[in-house]
């Protein structure tokens, strides 16, 4: 094997790269070093290495610098003697078994090209963070006879350095790197992929691609994206690759490459645009527009909405809308445009959509759900429009900006207040923040403008050195609801100049700050020490005092991290809290891992309050405590107060599980209400649980053995849940679910619940509740299995559709269905929604067992039944056979059913089936469950 190592002005790292080759476990490897006419001592280092290893290392030097990687690699290919060729950059290393693994794969499969896993090593990071390069391509060994069999390989892995090439293949195919142009790997890899008769991928780590973000000196070629020539080279390489694919007839590969260009290559350069001047933008557009015109419009549908929006607006040279869009590109979830609503859809901007059908498709951002969020949950763009240091005022800085107001979420009559906040970027030294009022706020339709002055010389008091960078944000209160924004510098040169400050320690540390723009485009300030002070500080930090100070700081930070770690909390729980006496009459409640105030724990809690039980209540919450009861102590899940409460409580009551690692003391009674009867196999009935090691199974059983009482609503629960959790008979409480007491009462109610008026549902509309089960779809968003706009159009005059996603999912509804389809997923408790609904539509959700108690129509839409049942963990019974209502499998069947029969007809037709269903799955739900639990465990606590 021959490894071509190219080098340019990298004398310090070259020996490490070469040693990674000489240290290979495969010994028959030579090193061919090619110096691209370095101006430092790189060639001398190369010659010394050749002299030290005359049989294995040879060194060459190009007569003049080529300015890229192509020429030295081509020269290296010509000098190689091995049967196989690899390429290595001087700042990277080969994994020690790389050559052996390459050779074995090549000899075994006869491949012309063998490719292995690259790992990006962030050398400057504290823990040398490692990121695998497109690992899904290298999950297993596989051999393909054409790149068309695996298009993702050409599209994503365009590196030349993680590959081993049969030398004769390179010669026969006439493969060379392009010279005089950057991004040569893209073209060379495409040529090699398309020419190879056979390609083998191996799952072995072969190449460490070292990243030196903090290194001094010039950036690498690929990182100099602010240079327009850099973008010009990338465009030219892409055009050459496209011609190659066209000549080979690989149109599908061209489409896949277009998609990657929109969501990766173009994005890298778009991020630079906000801070570039008009002439740069014009050159950029001139280079990009011809290429964008060649991209299949269908590619826009395959990328994230904001990527497509940016590409389209660039194509139209619409800078006014593009620059804000790039802000969202750099800051995920930021809403940087006022948006526009047309015919029930939300668009990034109003321009273009009336003239261009492609614009109407690409600029449609309805699915992002901006229109469904209140102002407090929106991350809004705040464009800095003025930055000026007041002359003769010392450190007074005048700031002005405008906050985006998407779709008028901030109403004109809203009461507005705001303040600017300055804070140290490093969290570990964020001892204090500094705030300044914003006296001027104006509502200007699509924006809210603001103006303020901040005397930084008096208000900002940094320590220095450790808090060198300070960020600034604006808190805007809209009718008491707060949204926080960062100040975006939307153009070059807007914020300049130095401002004097008074450091807390000494002016020798630093006595000035200057504005700068962060990598994400936000305004920040950096301390600027004087030259003498800089020297003193540098000496101090590098000397004994500095080393002691840094060591002390790191030690304190480590201790704080250790003190708040999970292991430390567990030790405190076990060694301290559990040793405290039981707190009599303390009851800890939790629902769905602290996410909700709902379900049977809520029903028991409210019954205890209704009966006047004398007890101390603690509710756990995750996230924010809004919606939890005000007459209970609220503790954040996994906090120290939470652990102390659990350790000392006389009762635990929850519906899922308290943290698995927390043991329960003998003096605590655990009432597990659970959260639904089982259709899908649970616990030790799941195939995955049966395959776990015996130790893991035993650990899981110990957590289940904490249950002192387990609520049962039918003998089906005994045969399924109790058996799957290996619960003892004496643990089972056959009382029903407390959450269903309200449903038992609602069955006899004649009036519609007041929730209908709260949701704005007209009295003449029937309510259909759609409550699907949890879906794992690569994120929390749940895509409805039917066209909700079509549903509203066809049935909106008769029904209001309530959509209640599983609490681990969320949905986005378009504005066009407003009033006819309502997202009620934020309602903690599903029981009032069930009581309101005139009919239920579900798939496999356990709400079917609860809703059956109301004796109202149910319809089932298991559109993915085979996948759910047969590819998942299996079910306890066949839903298609026992469903107490009609089953539809497609959207067309759903529409036909709703259009052909009324709810009254469904009620009569399936009355007997519903009665059997309740008898089988809800026999103990009599409406008295909460009362029976309170009577059995808490009757003695009633107030006298």
């Amino acid at each position: 094997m021959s490894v071509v190592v190219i080098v340019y002005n990298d004398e310090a790292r070259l020996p490490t790269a070469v040693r990674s080759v000489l240290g290979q476990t495969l010994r028959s490897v030579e090193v061919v070093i090619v110096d691209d006419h370095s101006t430092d001592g790189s060639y001398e280092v190369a010659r010394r290495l050749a002299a030290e290893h005359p049989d294995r290392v040879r060194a060459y030097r190009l007569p003049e610098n080529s300015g890229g990687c192509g020429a030295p690699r081509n020269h290296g290919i010509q000098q190689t003697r091995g049967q196989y060729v690899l390429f290595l950059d001087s700042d990277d290393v080969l994994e020690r078994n790389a050559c052996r693994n390459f050779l074995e794969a090549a000899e075994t499969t006869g491949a012309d090209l063998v490719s292995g896993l690259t790992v990006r090593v962030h050398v400057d990071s504290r823990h040398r963070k490692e990121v695998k390069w497109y690992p899904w391509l290298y999950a297993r060994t596989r051999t393909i006879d054409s790149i068309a069999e695996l298009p993702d390989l050409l599209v994503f892995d365009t590196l030349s350095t993680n590959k081993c090439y049969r030398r004769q293949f390179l010669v026969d195919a006439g493969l060379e790197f392009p010279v005089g142009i950057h991004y040569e790997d893209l073209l060379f890899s495409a040529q090699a992929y398309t020419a190879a008769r056979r390609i083998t991928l191996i799952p072995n780590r072969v190449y460490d691609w070292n990243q030196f973000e903090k290194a001094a000196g010039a950036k690498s070629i690929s990182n100099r994206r602010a240079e327009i020539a850099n973008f010009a080279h990338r465009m030219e390489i892409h055009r050459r690759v496209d011609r190659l694919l066209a000549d080979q007839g690989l149109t599908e590969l061209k489409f896949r490459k277009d998609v990657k260009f929109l969501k990766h290559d173009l994005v890298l350069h778009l991020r630079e645009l906000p801070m570039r001047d008009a002439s740069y933008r014009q050159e950029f557009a001139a280079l990009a527009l011809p290429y964008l015109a060649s991209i299949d419009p269908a590619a826009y549908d395959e990328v994230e909405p904001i990527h497509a929006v940016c590409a389209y607006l660039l194509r139209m040279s619409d800078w006014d809308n593009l620059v804000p869009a790039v802000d969202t590109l750099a800051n995920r979830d930021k809403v940087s445009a006022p948006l526009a609503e047309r015919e029930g859809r939300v668009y990034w901007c109003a321009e273009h959509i009336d003239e261009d059908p492609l614009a109407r498709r690409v600029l449609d951002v309805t699915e992002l759900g901006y229109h469904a969020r209140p102002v407090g949950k929106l991350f809004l763009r705040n464009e800095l429009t003025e930055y000026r240091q007041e002359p003769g005022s010392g450190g007074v800085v005048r700031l002005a900006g405008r906050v985006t107001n998407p779709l008028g979420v901030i109403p004109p009559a809203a009461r507005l207040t705001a303040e600017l906040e300055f804070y140290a970027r490093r969290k570990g030294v964020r001892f204090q923040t500094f705030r300044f009022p914003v006296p001027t706020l104006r509502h200007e339709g699509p924006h809210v403008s603001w103006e303020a002055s901040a005397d930084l010389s008096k208000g900002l008091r940094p320590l220095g050195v450790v808090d060198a960078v300070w960020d600034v944000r604006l808190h805007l209160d809209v009718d008491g609801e707060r949204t926080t924004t960062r100040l975006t510098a939307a153009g070059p040169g807007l914020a300049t100049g130095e401002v004097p400050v008074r450091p807390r320690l000494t002016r020798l540390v630093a006595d000035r700050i200057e504005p700068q723009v962060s990598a994400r485009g936000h305004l920040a300030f950096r301390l600027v020490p004087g030259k003498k002070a800089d020297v003193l500080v540098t000496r101090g930090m590098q000397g004994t005092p500095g080393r002691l100070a840094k060591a002390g700081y790191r030690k304190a930070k480590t201790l704080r991290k250790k003190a708040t770690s999970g292991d430390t909390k567990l030790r405190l729980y076990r060694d301290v809290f559990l040793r405290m006496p039981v707190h009599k009459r303390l009851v800890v409640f939790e629902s769905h891992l602290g996410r909700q105030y709902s379900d049977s724990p809520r029903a028991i809690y409210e019954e205890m309050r209704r009966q006047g039980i004398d007890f101390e209540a603690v509710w756990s919450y995750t996230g924010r405590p809004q919606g939890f009861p005000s007459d209970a102590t609220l503790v954040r899940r996994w906090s120290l107060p939470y652990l102390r409460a659990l350790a000392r409580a006389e009762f635990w009551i929850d519906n899922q599980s308290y943290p698995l690692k927390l043991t329960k003391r003998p003096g605590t009674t655990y009432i597990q209400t659970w959260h639904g009867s089982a259709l899908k196999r649970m616990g030790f009935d799941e195939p995955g649980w049966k395959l776990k090691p015996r130790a893991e199974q035993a650990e899981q059983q110990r957590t289940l053995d904490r249950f002192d009482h387990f609520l049962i609503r039918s003998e089906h629960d005994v045969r399924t849940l109790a058996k799957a959790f290996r619960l003892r008979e004496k643990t089972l409480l056959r009382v029903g679910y407390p959450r269903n007491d309200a449903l038992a009462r609602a069955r006899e109610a004649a009036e519609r619940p007041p929730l209908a008026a709260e949701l704005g549902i007209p009295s003449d509309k029937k309510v259909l509740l759609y409550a699907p089960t949890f879906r794992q779809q690569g994120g929390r968003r749940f895509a409805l299995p039917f066209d909700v706009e079509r549903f509203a159009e066809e049935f909106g005059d008769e029904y209001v559709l309530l959509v209640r996603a599983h609490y681990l999912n969320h949905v986005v509804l378009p504005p066009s269905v407003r009033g006819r389809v309502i997202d009620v997923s934020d309602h903690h408790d599903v029981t009032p929604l069930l009581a309101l609904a005139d009919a239920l539509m579900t798939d496999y959700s356990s709400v079917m067992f609860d809703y059956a108690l109301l004796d109202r129509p149910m319809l089932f839409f298991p559109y993915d039944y085979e996948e759910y049942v047969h590819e998942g963990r299996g079910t306890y019974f066949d839903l298609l056979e026992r469903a107490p209502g009609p089953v539809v499998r497609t959207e067309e069947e759903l529409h036909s059913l709703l259009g052909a029969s009324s709810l009254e007809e469904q009620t009569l037709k399936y009355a007997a089936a519903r009665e059997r269903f309740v008898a089988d799955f809800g026999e103990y739900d009599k409406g008295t469950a909460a009362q029976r639990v309170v009577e059995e465990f808490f009757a003695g606590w009633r107030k006298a």
Side-chain angles (χ1 to χ4, degrees):
M1 285 207 166
S2 298
V3 180
V4 177
V5 182
I6 63 170
V7 61
Y8 176 71
N9 285 355
D10 199 17
E11 59 181 321
R13 292 181 292 207
L14 176 61
T16 302
V18 173
R19 281 196 295 270
S20 76
V21 183
L22 298 177
Q24 288 289 301
T25 53
L26 181 70
R27 303 304 298 168
S28 54
V29 181
E30 71 163 356
V31 183
V32 177
I33 306 175
V34 182
D35 175 58
D36 196 13
H37 206 85
S38 296
T39 58
D40 67 353
S42 295
Y43 183 55
E44 286 70 24
V45 172
R47 291 181 62 187
R48 186 174 70 246
L49 290 168
E52 293 171 357
H53 307 276
D55 298 331
R56 301 188 65 190
V57 180
R58 288 176 288 129
Y60 301 90
R61 189 186 197 199
L62 298 187
E64 59 183 20
N65 179 251
S66 69
C69 301
R73 285 179 181 158
N74 291 338
H75 187 78
I77 295 173
Q78 297 172 7
Q79 305 302 327
T80 55
R81 300 169 180 168
Q83 188 178 354
Y84 298 94
V85 177
L86 284 72
F87 301 106
L88 174 64
D89 292 343
S90 61
D91 53 350
D92 300 330
V93 295
L94 287 181
E95 196 277 334
R96 65 189 303 267
N97 296 301
C99 291
R100 180 180 297 278
N101 291 326
F102 275 139
L103 181 62
E104 180 181 357
E107 294 289 276
T108 302
T109 65
D112 290 329
L113 186 159
V114 181
S115 189
L117 179 65
T118 296
V119 176
R120 299 185 72 173
V121 181
H122 294 262
V123 179
D124 297 329
S125 65
R126 180 168 299 174
H127 304 292
R128 286 179 63 90
K129 183 179 74 171
E130 296 185 350
V131 180
K132 295 178 180 178
W133 188 251
Y134 300 115
W136 79 85
L137 293 171
Y138 298 97
R140 59 182 174 84
T141 300
R142 53 180 162 180
T143 299
I144 58 176
D145 295 323
S146 168
I147 190 61
E149 297 177 31
L150 188 61
D152 280 352
L153 186 59
L154 178 141
V155 171
F156 292 100
D157 189 359
T158 57
L159 300 177
S160 65
T161 48
N162 63 330
K163 297 171 178 61
C164 169
Y165 309 85
R166 194 179 296 272
R167 188 180 190 281
Q168 196 58 46
F169 159 67
L170 296 178
V171 173
D172 293 345
L175 292 182
E176 288 187 338
F177 288 88
V179 177
I181 189 169
H182 305 323
Y183 303 106
E184 56 282 306
D185 270 18
L186 274 71
L187 181 58
F188 182 83
S189 295
Q191 292 171 331
Y193 283 141
T194 55
R197 295 176 297 105
R198 183 169 294 167
I199 300 170
T200 294
L201 308 184
I202 57 176
N204 309 87
R205 178 175 183 166
V206 297
Y207 196 89
D208 283 7
W209 180 6
N210 291 330
Q211 304 291 296
F212 300 91
E213 287 88 353
K214 300 176 184 177
K219 290 185 177 181
S220 66
I221 292 169
S222 60
N223 283 329
R224 298 202 292 266
R225 300 187 192 107
E227 301 174 7
I228 197 66
N230 185 287
F231 185 61
H233 285 206
R234 188 186 287 271
M235 290 293 90
E236 176 58 25
I237 285 292
H238 273 282
R239 281 189 286 268
R240 294 187 190 185
V241 173
D242 288 350
R243 285 197 294 269
L244 170 68
L245 297 179
D247 292 343
Q248 300 280 343
L250 298 170
T251 54
E252 173 61 21
L253 284 177
K254 169 64 167 64
F255 178 78
R256 298 284 190 93
K257 185 179 152 298
D258 284 349
V259 172
K260 190 207 174 190
F261 176 82
L262 292 178
K263 69 180 183 181
H264 176 72
D265 299 74
L266 182 61
V267 167
L268 292 175
H269 294 269
L270 282 174
R271 292 175 186 270
E272 300 290 332
L273 284 183
M275 301 311 296
R276 303 293 158 227
D277 59 22
S279 61
Y280 179 96
R281 294 177 183 178
Q282 290 174 359
E283 289 186 69
F284 185 88
L287 291 168
L289 296 186
Y291 190 78
L292 286 173
S294 72
I295 287 180
D296 187 337
Y300 289 91
D301 299 328
E302 302 297 320
V303 301
E304 291 187 26
I306 192 60
H307 293 160
V309 166
C310 287
Y312 179 83
L313 294 174
L314 174 61
R315 181 173 170 175
M316 303 303 293
S317 297
D318 184 352
W319 300 104
D320 290 341
N321 287 307
L322 173 60
V323 172
V326 172
D327 191 11
T328 296
L329 195 66
N331 298 276
R332 190 176 182 85
D333 294 329
K334 180 185 282 191
V335 188
S336 58
L339 307 179
E341 184 179 334
R342 294 285 191 279
E343 299 173 357
R345 306 294 294 179
V346 176
Y347 298 91
W348 186 259
C349 57
E351 292 78 6
H352 317 296
I353 58 178
D354 294 328
E355 307 89 36
D356 185 358
L358 178 62
R360 184 166 284 267
R361 192 174 87 229
V362 171
L363 298 179
D364 188 334
V365 292
T366 308
E367 70 174 64
L368 296 180
Y370 296 141
H371 60 281
R373 300 183 206 169
V375 67
K377 292 186 177 181
L378 288 171
F379 178 23
L380 301 176
R381 172 179 167 89
N382 186 352
E383 181 184 345
L384 186 67
T385 56
E386 182 182 359
Y387 177 95
R388 177 165 52 88
Q389 188 173 354
E390 297 286 1
S393 64
V396 177
V397 174
R398 176 176 172 78
L399 300 162
R402 57 179 195 169
V403 178
T404 299
N405 182 20
L407 300 174
V409 68
I410 304 174
R415 180 173 51 85
L416 304 177
T417 59
E419 64 178 1
L420 288 170
E421 180 183 57
F422 293 76
Y423 57 98
R425 179 172 296 175
R426 184 179 291 182
K427 293 182 180 179
V429 296
R430 197 176 295 171
F431 305 116
Q432 188 174 354
T433 60
F434 302 96
R435 297 181 176 88
F436 300 89
V438 176
T440 304
L441 287 160
R442 293 187 301 272
H443 194 292
E444 298 177 347
H447 302 93
V448 171
S449 296
W450 59 271
E451 298 171 8
S453 294
D455 190 346
L456 301 185
S457 63
K458 294 180 180 179
L460 191 63
R461 300 294 305 280
L463 288 172
V465 183
V466 293
D467 57 351
V469 179
W470 287 71
D471 291 310
V472 57
R473 57 191 172 195
L474 181 136
H475 299 296
L476 176 65
D477 281 57
V478 180
D479 289 331
E481 188 172 8
R482 168 167 288 195
T483 182
T484 298
T485 68
R486 297 290 303 276
L487 275 57
T488 297
L494 178 61
T496 58
E498 296 181 351
V499 181
V501 293
R502 293 187 300 158
R504 291 183 177 274
L505 298 178
T506 170
R507 291 184 184 274
L508 284 176
V509 175
D511 61 358
R512 291 163 294 147
I513 58 172
E514 65 178 2
Q516 65 173 27
V517 180
S518 72
R520 294 183 180 274
H522 296 138
L523 178 67
F525 292 87
R526 178 180 291 277
L527 291 173
V528 185
K531 292 182 179 179
K532 291 183 179 180
D534 205 12
V535 172
L536 289 173
V537 170
T538 301
R539 286 178 182 173
M541 293 301 290
Q542 293 176 349
T544 301
R547 286 196 298 271
L548 291 174
K550 286 187 285 187
Y553 171 74
R554 283 194 291 267
K555 185 176 181 180
K557 189 173 182 179
T558 300
L559 287 173
R560 185 175 64 180
K561 184 177 181 180
K562 186 177 180 181
T564 57
S565 69
D567 290 340
T568 300
K569 288 180 176 179
L570 285 174
R571 283 196 298 272
L572 277 171
Y573 178 82
R574 182 182 64 246
D575 299 336
V576 179
F577 297 152
L578 283 180
R579 296 178 185 272
M580 295 178 176
V582 171
H583 187 150
K584 293 298 183 179
R585 302 195 180 192
L586 173 61
V587 185
V588 179
F589 297 86
E590 185 172 286
S591 178
H592 294 302
L593 307 179
R595 292 184 177 91
Q596 299 178 356
Y597 171 58
S598 66
D599 212 79
S600 292
R602 173 178 179 172
I604 295 173
Y605 171 76
E606 292 179 350
E607 180 66 18
M608 292 173 71
R609 291 295 191 203
R610 189 187 68 80
Q611 291 194 27
I613 303 298
D614 182 14
F615 70 109
E616 184 175 337
V618 171
W619 268 93
S620 85
Y621 69 92
T622 300
R624 296 182 177 181
Q626 279 80 6
F628 285 81
S630 58
D631 56 354
T633 300
L634 307 183
V635 294
R636 187 184 299 275
R637 202 170 194 265
W638 262 114
S639 66
L640 292 181
Y642 172 80
L643 297 178
R644 185 169 58 247
L646 283 176
R648 302 193 63 194
E650 191 170 352
F651 280 87
W652 292 0
I653 300 178
D654 91 307
N655 68 349
Q656 197 155 338
S657 177
Y658 287 108
L660 303 182
K661 294 183 180 181
L662 300 184
T663 56
K664 181 183 69 67
R665 69 196 309 163
T668 299
T669 300
Y670 191 167
I671 301 175
Q672 173 56 252
T673 69
W674 205 239
H675 51 275
S677 297
L679 168 61
K680 207 165 189 179
R681 293 189 177 274
M682 303 290 292
F684 289 101
D685 287 345
E686 294 182 42
W689 279 39
K690 295 176 181 178
L691 296 175
K692 288 182 178 180
R694 188 170 299 175
E696 286 189 34
Q697 292 192 29
E699 178 67 24
Q700 186 65 40
Q701 188 60 56
R702 278 193 291 272
T703 65
L704 295 170
D705 288 343
R706 297 180 302 174
F707 302 161
D708 295 300
H709 304 283
F710 190 90
L711 269 56
I712 295 296
R713 58 184 308 211
S714 71
E715 289 305 306
H716 169 76
D717 291 352
V718 177
R719 295 188 298 270
T720 56
L721 291 171
K723 173 177 171 292
F725 294 154
R726 298 175 180 173
L727 301 177
R728 295 160 295 176
E729 172 63 30
K730 66 177 184 179
T731 304
L732 309 181
L733 283 178
R734 292 172 169 83
V735 298
Y737 280 176
R739 73 182 187 193
N740 289 339
D741 293 348
L743 296 180
R745 293 191 298 268
R747 177 173 179 173
E748 308 301 328
E751 296 182 358
R752 176 173 278 189
L755 179 59
E758 294 177 24
L759 295 175
I761 299 174
S763 58
D764 62 337
K765 297 285 184 67
K766 297 183 179 67
V767 177
L768 176 61
L769 173 64
Y770 177 50
T773 193
F774 171 69
R775 289 299 198 287
Q776 184 69 52
Q777 298 174 314
R780 293 189 64 239
R781 180 170 297 170
F782 171 65
L784 292 173
F786 56 90
D787 186 338
V788 69
E789 291 180 291
R790 178 188 171 195
F791 185 97
E793 186 65 28
E794 291 196 23
F795 303 109
D797 292 338
E798 182 178 359
Y799 294 101
V800 169
L801 178 68
L802 305 183
V803 178
R804 211 267 186 176
H806 189 277
Y807 67 89
L808 294 176
N809 291 137
H810 79 274
V811 296
V812 173
L813 300 176
S816 58
V817 301
R818 195 178 286 130
R820 296 175 293 175
V821 183
I822 303 173
D823 180 11
V824 292
S825 304
D826 284 342
H827 284 246
H828 273 200
D829 202 341
V830 71
T831 302
L833 298 172
L834 296 176
L836 170 63
D838 296 301
L840 172 72
M841 178 169 65
T842 186
D843 43 19
Y844 322 100
S845 173
S846 63
V847 297
M848 71 174 79
F849 303 108
D850 304 320
Y851 192 78
L853 299 172
L854 292 165
D855 193 29
R856 298 175 189 171
M858 289 188 282
L859 60 98
F860 297 84
F861 189 13
Y863 58 91
D864 55 353
Y865 186 77
E866 283 74 19
E867 177 185 350
Y868 189 88
V869 172
H870 302 301
E871 296 181 18
R873 58 182 188 243
T875 59
Y876 287 114
F877 62 89
D878 189 342
L879 178 64
L880 301 185
E881 291 182 0
R882 300 182 69 175
V887 177
V888 294
R889 303 290 299 278
T890 67
E891 183 175 3
E892 294 305 322
E893 291 179 3
L894 172 64
H895 281 250
S896 296
L897 174 70
L898 292 175
S901 61
S902 65
L903 293 186
E904 289 75 15
E905 291 173 324
Q906 294 294 326
T907 300
L908 295 174
K909 183 176 181 180
Y910 289 92
R914 288 195 304 277
E915 185 176 354
R916 288 193 302 271
F917 198 76
V918 171
D920 291 340
F921 301 109
E923 58 187 298
Y924 302 127
D925 276 325
K926 304 300 183 182
T928 59
Q931 182 180 348
R932 291 183 62 182
V933 170
V934 173
E935 287 293 330
E936 181 160 350
F937 297 104
F938 307 110
W941 294 4
R942 285 193 179 93
K943 297 176 183 178

